[in-house]
Amino acid sequence: MENIRNFCIIAHIDHGKSTLADRLLEITGTVTGKDLQAQVLDDMDIERERGITIKSHAIQMDYKVNGQKYVLNLIDTPGHVDFSYEVSRAIASCEGALLVVDATQGIQAQTISNMYQAIDHNLTVIPVLNKMDMPAAMPEEVKDQIIDLIGCKREDIIEVSARTGVGIQDVLDAIIERVPAPKGDPEGPLQALIFDSVFNSFRGIIAYYRILNGTLKKGEHVKFVNTTHDYHADEIGVLKLKLSPRDTVCAGDVGYIISGIKSAKEVKVGDTITHVNNPCDSAVAGFENVKSMVFAGIYPVDADDYEELRASLEKLQLNDASLTFIPESSAALGFGFRGGFLGLLHMEIIQERLDREFDMDVITTVPNVSYKVVTTKGEKLDVHNPSGLPAPTLIDFIEEPYIKAQVITKTEYVGAIMNLCIDKRGVLQSQTYLTTDRVEINFEMPLAEIVFDFYDKLKSISKGYASFDYHPTVYKQAKLVKLDILLNGEQVDALSTLIHFDNAYPFGRRMCEKLKELIPRQQYEVAIQAAIGSKIIARETISAMRKDVTAKCYGGDISRKRKLLEKQKKGKKRMRQIGTVEVPQSAFLAVLKLD
């Protein structure tokens, strides 16, 4: 165990985590020849296309120093705030962290929040200054920022260029010198923490774990503490670029287990593996359940695919523990699920993965957050969906979740960013100058306001220079109303939203205008209305497609024309009573991008 080092790489988006991981794998000879490509560890197509890391990836490297052989377990983590849960799991299973900072960008919001997580878990932090080969690099300024943030010595900061490979050797030496070896008793009862799992259609479920105490041997009888199921370890091993089987895996190591588990419900991330005959006293603590921030309905396009969608979501949940879902039904869309996500990007990625990995065509409804409703009788209800709201006469007040938002930006964009936050009902808490031209602004604002397009707007007004991070704080009372959309007097429950009273009128009007563009014309007139309770606040009308029934009347009496027009009018009226309006998928998506 003296020669094992477990560490992760944390940073803000695009500061070069995955590129640094590539160089480490190259220098240690873990990946060679044709396997060597950019973002080696990002194995999903979406990750490569978007250039972002979505999943934490673990891999084992062997490295020799002065004749001593060391085993390095590396976890590359995502940088986007929507995947911070992945980062927290990676940090929980390591002893050290490489904090990567871009020499051209400096410290950004996500750098700070990941940094605090690492310090909370008592990890040894090694600061790494990346992108030193760039002409725009500002090494001295950024070093000052790092020293202010973590209070390290100037000579502790390692200068590297992950793209060209400069300084990577120093990083490896620093990991071996500074990161402590894992503690644990190889002779004690087995105690292993599951930090991830994947579904394999041939082998069943493969669980990835970090052994804290004890030793696991092939073929042993093991059980999962929380689910209380027991299995035989058919195959165990360590994680190289591909799975690498071993006969024993010891304390301090990161490995995988295949035991023919078929049901996704039997494996939970954060569970503990132990022996059946000699179990450990307690499960591993410190794994909190994830709190979903954004909720949206997920419905199959074809109602017959409901069970298939359930199976797909269960398999996806194995690989992404931050996805939660419960069954629900809607009058407009039939049976489906209410999914809980960490943010809008997370929701978009899940939708894309369902399409690519499971071939599932789904409709997602307007995303919203969860509210606490206090009724006139004093009962407290959690409402994730506007259609689950009690009647307005029974509601005493509604509370909505607030967040603490931290924005780090250049000083010239402060005014525009403050305007944006205040428009979104934010309250300025503090403003701190990190350096002469970089400022950190802290706002308290409602989560519902940042769900839609806040992040995109922030990026565009700051020309991409502002970085954003948030965490939930409290629930506060707010003046919220339920906005319904009616088509020909029929309510479309999938388009209902809970919205602040001040924004309801403009939002309702914009929504009606947008739906008028997107809903195809029918043979009859379609009225689109936005309503709060029984009060209509906006209306648009889609005119009917008409046949010119009077074309054959050439000259003659007006009463002949009138007779034909009256007949047509009756037909349209009858058609309208029995006709239904199909709402296309683009209409549900357009609501997200109303601005």
Short mmCIF file of all heavy atoms in Angstrom, two decimals, residues 316-341:
data_model
loop_
_atom_site.label_atom_id
_atom_site.label_comp_id
_atom_site.label_asym_id
_atom_site.label_seq_id
_atom_site.Cartn_x
_atom_site.Cartn_y
_atom_site.Cartn_z
N LEU A 316 -29.61 3.99 -17.39
CA LEU A 316 -28.90 5.27 -17.42
C LEU A 316 -28.58 5.74 -16.00
O LEU A 316 -27.53 6.32 -15.75
CB LEU A 316 -29.78 6.30 -18.13
CG LEU A 316 -29.11 7.50 -18.76
CD1 LEU A 316 -27.98 7.06 -19.66
CD2 LEU A 316 -30.10 8.32 -19.56
N GLN A 317 -29.48 5.42 -15.07
CA GLN A 317 -29.30 5.84 -13.68
C GLN A 317 -28.09 5.14 -13.04
O GLN A 317 -27.43 5.70 -12.17
CB GLN A 317 -30.58 5.51 -12.89
CG GLN A 317 -30.68 6.25 -11.58
CD GLN A 317 -32.01 5.97 -10.90
OE1 GLN A 317 -32.60 4.91 -11.07
NE2 GLN A 317 -32.49 6.92 -10.13
N LEU A 318 -27.81 3.92 -13.50
CA LEU A 318 -26.63 3.20 -13.01
C LEU A 318 -25.37 4.00 -13.28
O LEU A 318 -24.45 4.05 -12.48
CB LEU A 318 -26.46 1.89 -13.81
CG LEU A 318 -27.23 0.68 -13.37
CD1 LEU A 318 -26.96 -0.42 -14.36
CD2 LEU A 318 -26.79 0.26 -11.99
N ASN A 319 -25.35 4.58 -14.49
CA ASN A 319 -24.15 5.26 -14.94
C ASN A 319 -24.14 6.72 -14.51
O ASN A 319 -23.12 7.38 -14.56
CB ASN A 319 -24.10 5.15 -16.47
CG ASN A 319 -22.73 5.44 -17.01
OD1 ASN A 319 -22.56 6.36 -17.78
ND2 ASN A 319 -21.75 4.68 -16.58
N ASP A 320 -25.31 7.23 -14.11
CA ASP A 320 -25.42 8.63 -13.72
C ASP A 320 -26.31 8.70 -12.49
O ASP A 320 -27.53 8.82 -12.59
CB ASP A 320 -26.03 9.42 -14.89
CG ASP A 320 -26.09 10.91 -14.59
OD1 ASP A 320 -25.80 11.27 -13.43
OD2 ASP A 320 -26.40 11.69 -15.49
N ALA A 321 -25.69 8.61 -11.32
CA ALA A 321 -26.48 8.49 -10.08
C ALA A 321 -27.24 9.77 -9.75
O ALA A 321 -28.09 9.78 -8.87
CB ALA A 321 -25.55 8.14 -8.93
N SER A 322 -26.93 10.88 -10.44
CA SER A 322 -27.62 12.13 -10.11
C SER A 322 -28.96 12.26 -10.83
O SER A 322 -29.68 13.22 -10.62
CB SER A 322 -26.72 13.32 -10.43
OG SER A 322 -26.12 13.16 -11.68
N LEU A 323 -29.30 11.29 -11.68
CA LEU A 323 -30.62 11.30 -12.34
C LEU A 323 -31.63 10.61 -11.42
O LEU A 323 -31.38 9.52 -10.93
CB LEU A 323 -30.51 10.55 -13.67
CG LEU A 323 -31.82 10.16 -14.35
CD1 LEU A 323 -32.55 11.38 -14.88
CD2 LEU A 323 -31.58 9.19 -15.49
N THR A 324 -32.75 11.28 -11.18
CA THR A 324 -33.82 10.62 -10.40
C THR A 324 -35.11 10.69 -11.23
O THR A 324 -35.28 11.61 -12.03
CB THR A 324 -34.08 11.36 -9.06
OG1 THR A 324 -34.36 12.73 -9.35
CG2 THR A 324 -32.87 11.29 -8.14
N PHE A 325 -35.99 9.72 -11.06
CA PHE A 325 -37.26 9.78 -11.80
C PHE A 325 -38.36 9.02 -11.07
O PHE A 325 -38.10 8.05 -10.36
CB PHE A 325 -37.10 9.25 -13.23
CG PHE A 325 -36.69 7.81 -13.31
CD1 PHE A 325 -37.64 6.80 -13.40
CD2 PHE A 325 -35.35 7.45 -13.29
CE1 PHE A 325 -37.28 5.47 -13.47
CE2 PHE A 325 -34.97 6.11 -13.36
CZ PHE A 325 -35.94 5.12 -13.46
N ILE A 326 -39.60 9.50 -11.22
CA ILE A 326 -40.78 8.81 -10.68
C ILE A 326 -41.85 8.82 -11.77
O ILE A 326 -41.89 9.72 -12.59
CB ILE A 326 -41.32 9.51 -9.40
CG1 ILE A 326 -41.52 11.02 -9.65
CG2 ILE A 326 -40.44 9.28 -8.20
CD1 ILE A 326 -42.28 11.73 -8.57
N PRO A 327 -42.74 7.81 -11.78
CA PRO A 327 -43.79 7.77 -12.82
C PRO A 327 -44.79 8.91 -12.63
O PRO A 327 -45.06 9.33 -11.51
CB PRO A 327 -44.49 6.43 -12.59
CG PRO A 327 -43.59 5.66 -11.70
CD PRO A 327 -42.80 6.64 -10.90
N GLU A 328 -45.31 9.43 -13.73
CA GLU A 328 -46.41 10.41 -13.66
C GLU A 328 -47.20 10.33 -14.96
O GLU A 328 -46.75 9.72 -15.94
CB GLU A 328 -45.89 11.83 -13.41
CG GLU A 328 -45.29 12.48 -14.62
CD GLU A 328 -45.19 14.01 -14.50
OE1 GLU A 328 -45.50 14.56 -13.44
OE2 GLU A 328 -44.79 14.62 -15.50
N SER A 329 -48.38 10.91 -14.96
CA SER A 329 -49.16 10.88 -16.21
C SER A 329 -49.67 12.28 -16.50
O SER A 329 -49.80 13.10 -15.60
CB SER A 329 -50.33 9.91 -16.07
OG SER A 329 -51.19 10.37 -15.05
N SER A 330 -49.94 12.52 -17.77
CA SER A 330 -50.40 13.84 -18.19
C SER A 330 -51.56 13.65 -19.16
O SER A 330 -51.56 12.70 -19.96
CB SER A 330 -49.25 14.58 -18.86
OG SER A 330 -49.69 15.30 -19.98
N ALA A 331 -52.55 14.53 -19.10
CA ALA A 331 -53.70 14.40 -19.99
C ALA A 331 -53.27 14.58 -21.45
O ALA A 331 -53.81 13.95 -22.35
CB ALA A 331 -54.75 15.44 -19.62
N ALA A 332 -52.27 15.46 -21.67
CA ALA A 332 -51.87 15.74 -23.05
C ALA A 332 -50.93 14.68 -23.61
O ALA A 332 -50.93 14.39 -24.79
CB ALA A 332 -51.20 17.10 -23.10
N LEU A 333 -50.07 14.10 -22.72
CA LEU A 333 -48.99 13.25 -23.23
C LEU A 333 -49.08 11.79 -22.79
O LEU A 333 -48.24 10.98 -23.17
CB LEU A 333 -47.64 13.83 -22.79
CG LEU A 333 -47.33 15.23 -23.29
CD1 LEU A 333 -46.14 15.81 -22.57
CD2 LEU A 333 -47.09 15.24 -24.78
N GLY A 334 -50.07 11.44 -21.96
CA GLY A 334 -50.20 10.03 -21.54
C GLY A 334 -49.27 9.71 -20.38
O GLY A 334 -48.99 10.56 -19.53
N PHE A 335 -48.76 8.47 -20.35
CA PHE A 335 -47.92 8.03 -19.23
C PHE A 335 -46.46 8.35 -19.50
O PHE A 335 -45.97 8.19 -20.62
CB PHE A 335 -48.08 6.53 -19.00
CG PHE A 335 -49.41 6.17 -18.42
CD1 PHE A 335 -50.42 5.66 -19.22
CD2 PHE A 335 -49.67 6.38 -17.07
CE1 PHE A 335 -51.66 5.35 -18.69
CE2 PHE A 335 -50.90 6.07 -16.53
CZ PHE A 335 -51.90 5.55 -17.34
N GLY A 336 -45.75 8.75 -18.44
CA GLY A 336 -44.33 9.05 -18.58
C GLY A 336 -43.69 9.13 -17.22
O GLY A 336 -44.17 8.54 -16.25
N PHE A 337 -42.59 9.90 -17.11
CA PHE A 337 -41.87 10.01 -15.84
C PHE A 337 -41.56 11.48 -15.56
O PHE A 337 -41.43 12.28 -16.48
CB PHE A 337 -40.55 9.24 -15.92
CG PHE A 337 -40.75 7.77 -16.14
CD1 PHE A 337 -40.76 7.24 -17.41
CD2 PHE A 337 -40.95 6.93 -15.06
CE1 PHE A 337 -40.98 5.89 -17.62
CE2 PHE A 337 -41.17 5.58 -15.26
CZ PHE A 337 -41.18 5.06 -16.54
N ARG A 338 -41.45 11.79 -14.27
CA ARG A 338 -40.98 13.12 -13.89
C ARG A 338 -39.52 12.95 -13.49
O ARG A 338 -39.21 12.25 -12.54
CB ARG A 338 -41.79 13.65 -12.71
CG ARG A 338 -41.23 14.92 -12.14
CD ARG A 338 -42.27 16.00 -11.96
NE ARG A 338 -42.89 16.39 -13.21
CZ ARG A 338 -42.74 17.59 -13.79
NH1 ARG A 338 -41.99 18.49 -13.26
NH2 ARG A 338 -43.36 17.87 -14.91
N GLY A 339 -38.63 13.52 -14.27
CA GLY A 339 -37.20 13.35 -14.01
C GLY A 339 -36.65 14.52 -13.21
O GLY A 339 -37.09 15.66 -13.37
N GLY A 340 -35.70 14.22 -12.32
CA GLY A 340 -35.01 15.27 -11.57
C GLY A 340 -33.58 15.38 -12.08
O GLY A 340 -32.88 14.38 -12.21
N PHE A 341 -33.15 16.61 -12.41
CA PHE A 341 -31.82 16.83 -12.99
C PHE A 341 -31.07 17.87 -12.17
O PHE A 341 -31.66 18.62 -11.42
CB PHE A 341 -31.93 17.33 -14.44
CG PHE A 341 -32.86 16.50 -15.28
CD1 PHE A 341 -34.19 16.85 -15.44
CD2 PHE A 341 -32.41 15.36 -15.91
CE1 PHE A 341 -35.05 16.09 -16.21
CE2 PHE A 341 -33.27 14.58 -16.68
CZ PHE A 341 -34.58 14.95 -16.82
#
